[in-house]
Each structure stands twice: as structure tokens, then as C-alpha cells.
Amino acid sequence: MNSASVMPARRRARAAVLSASAALAAFALAGTSSAATGAAAAELNGTWAPFNRCPVDAAGMLAATGQETIAQCVVSHASSGSIKLGNTTVTTGASDLQMGVIQRTGQTPLLVPPPEGTIIADSADVPGGLLGLMCPSDIPVISSICAQVKDGDLNRITATIESAGSPSDFNLAAAITPGDPILSLPVRIRLKNPFLSSDCTIGTAEHPVVLRPRTLTKPSVKVVRFDADGTPSTTGALTSFQLSGADQGDSTFAVPGASNCGLLGLIDLAVNLKTGLPAASGTNSLTLTSTSTATASLTNSFAAYPNQGRTLSDAWHSAVK
């Protein structure tokens, strides 16, 4: 791949805003597996390494022409944070948000999630476990469960976040300057314990928790040029806009009650009574500290590559170890 000329200033600024807008992320609530290594993640060289779940082979990404449509990879990572749902607060672990972003002339950007979902994050322990989540209880069958639970595995509850739909409402202007939501992200939180059904969740695909994160503090920004194989190069054909140090959060989302937890809804009732769910907007909050975010795209996407999406995909695959 030949290296490309530098973008005109207006287009370069536009791409920088897109990159920063990814800083929404990395919701470290809890997740489906290790935040760093999803089952579908590739192992990539050099500057490509963080983009291991970018959906470069999605039809919309491949179809980007470099004229009316421009495809980019976006990743955001957070190592810590907290989330409050009702009257329960959970300290969160690492999380990884990745997606493709297709800029469209005269239209809002199209967001493309990876096949396994936009977010993968580490699981988080619910404080107090099952005893803290639904005990004591006035419901006899629940009281019987509470009597069996002591310390250890029977009491431990983990909460994992799952994507519950595609992200939307992408607001490029909100990426750098604190204020407006960056996007809307539907999720559900799966609760796991031997006494709970495997389908026990807070939020569902039909009624998700919709997070609308905002940038709370401005990130530091740097630009890295790199070759197709991921090697940094001052004349590289690809550019990564990298942000670090931004805090993010949301205190506007509503949370539905738990559902499908077992015993014909009796566990749902006990969990909801103890945790204060459903909880209206304004009573819940998400805080993420010191996120790191990056985008990757062809350096002169608007002119040099008439098949920009296909060229981006070829570059990504050339960096796979």
C-alpha cells in the first residue's frame, strides 16, 4: 500500500472529532468475558493492536467508497469505574468498546457493532452477594433460599453487561467538549448465581438500559501515522487519533426491574424490592475514570482510495499475527 498525503485541515479536524467521539465508552459495568480478549478478537501488530474486534468485514464498512462514505475503526477502554442501579452501587472492572463508524455525506454517522456486540467487559461482584441483593425477604420461598446461603459460591453474584441492540444517536460535537451525550447505547445486565435462572437480567432487548454517556473532562490527544501492517511511520498510509485521560459518565438513564430470574417471578420481586428497581432517571449513575480511546482510518480517506472500506479491511487483515 502506498502512503497517502496528509488530509486537508478541515477534513483532518472532522476525523479528529470522530475519533474523540468514541471516548464514550468502555463501559466497565461488567461483561460477558475478559474485556481485553473477546472470543472473536484477533491478535494484531503494532498500532492496530487495540482494534482487535473492529468489524472491518461488515458489508457497510466494505462498501465505503472514500467519497460519500468513509469507514473508520473505533476503540475505547476503561480500567475502572462504578455504576449505581437503584440503591446498589457496583465497582467496575476493565471494559472494551469497539465499533465501526461510517461517515455519510449529509447524514448522521452509521454505527456498526462487532458480531459479538459493542461492549465486552470484565464481570463485577455485586456487594453483599445474594444476601445483599434479595435477603432478608418476607416471601417464604425466598426466605428459604436466604437460609441456605452463607459465604462462598452460593452467595456470590456477578453482574455482566451485554449489548442489547445497536448504538445510535451519534453526536460528533459532544466528543471533545463536556456537555451533550455522545451516543445512545442499549445494554442489559446479566446476574449470575446458582439460585438464579441463566436468563436473569436487569433490562432486556425489548426494554434495555439505555446509556447516554457524556465527556466529563477533556482528553489529551495525539496523532500516530502507521503502515498497513501496524508499524508506526511518519509517512504511513493510516492515521490513528488517540485520546487518553478523559472521565466519562451518565446520570440520566432509567433502569427497569430484574426479569426472568426464576420461581415464576418471585425472585424478580425479591431482587426488585431489595435493590429499589425499577429506578427512574436521575436515581442511577455511571462513572468511568481515565478512559483511553483511538480511531484508525486511511490517512487521506476522502480522495486517495476509491474503495476505502475494502482497503481498510485489507490493511487490518495484513496486521493479523
Side-chain angles (χ1 to χ4, degrees), residues 174-305:
I176 298 175
T177 303
D180 294 331
I182 300 166
L183 57 63
S184 298
L185 186 69
V187 301
R188 61 190 174 196
I189 300 166
R190 189 172 299 277
L191 303 176
K192 294 184 178 181
N193 174 274
F195 286 103
L196 303 180
S197 163
S198 61
D199 294 325
C200 180
T201 61
I202 297 172
T204 63
E206 295 76 20
H207 302 286
V209 177
V210 181
L211 300 170
R212 296 180 176 88
R214 305 165 189 257
T215 299
L216 303 179
T217 59
K218 290 185 178 181
S220 299
V221 182
K222 71 175 180 178
V223 179
V224 176
R225 293 278 294 273
F226 63 105
D227 292 332
D229 64 359
T231 303
S233 169
T234 57
T235 59
L238 293 105
T239 298
S240 176
F241 291 88
Q242 300 178 356
L243 295 83
S244 61
D247 292 342
Q248 300 161 3
D250 183 17
S251 58
T252 65
F253 58 96
V255 179
S259 59
N260 302 314
C261 294
L263 294 179
L264 301 177
L266 290 178
I267 294 182
D268 300 351
L269 177 61
V271 169
N272 292 336
L273 287 173
K274 188 70 185 292
T275 58
L277 299 179
S281 172
T283 60
N284 314 292
S285 63
L286 168 71
T287 302
L288 300 171
T289 57
S290 192
T291 61
S292 60
T293 304
T295 63
S297 185
L298 299 172
T299 298
N300 199 350
S301 295
F302 290 86
Y305 305 99

Side-chain angles (χ1 to χ4, degrees), residues 39-148:
E43 187 177 358
L44 304 178
N45 288 309
T47 306
W48 272 120
F51 302 92
N52 57 1
R53 297 191 299 116
C54 184
V56 292
D57 294 326
M61 296 281 283
L62 291 173
T65 64
Q67 299 298 318
E68 294 82 9
T69 52
I70 304 295
Q72 288 187 310
C73 295
V74 169
V75 59
S76 190
H77 180 85
S79 59
S80 63
S82 65
I83 186 169
K84 179 178 180 290
L85 306 176
N87 55 30
T88 299
T89 299
V90 177
T91 298
T92 59
S95 63
D96 176 84
L97 179 147
Q98 295 198 41
M99 60 184 179
V101 177
I102 303 172
Q103 285 187 301
R104 302 177 295 173
T105 302
Q107 301 180 60
T108 58
L110 178 65
L111 310 185
V112 183
E116 69 278 9
T118 305
I119 295 175
I120 290 178
D122 291 342
S123 61
D125 286 337
V126 176
L130 195 67
L131 290 171
L133 193 66
M134 68 181 197
C135 303
S137 175
D138 294 332
I139 304 171
V141 67
I142 303 300
S143 297
S144 177
I145 292 175
C146 294
Q148 300 176 56

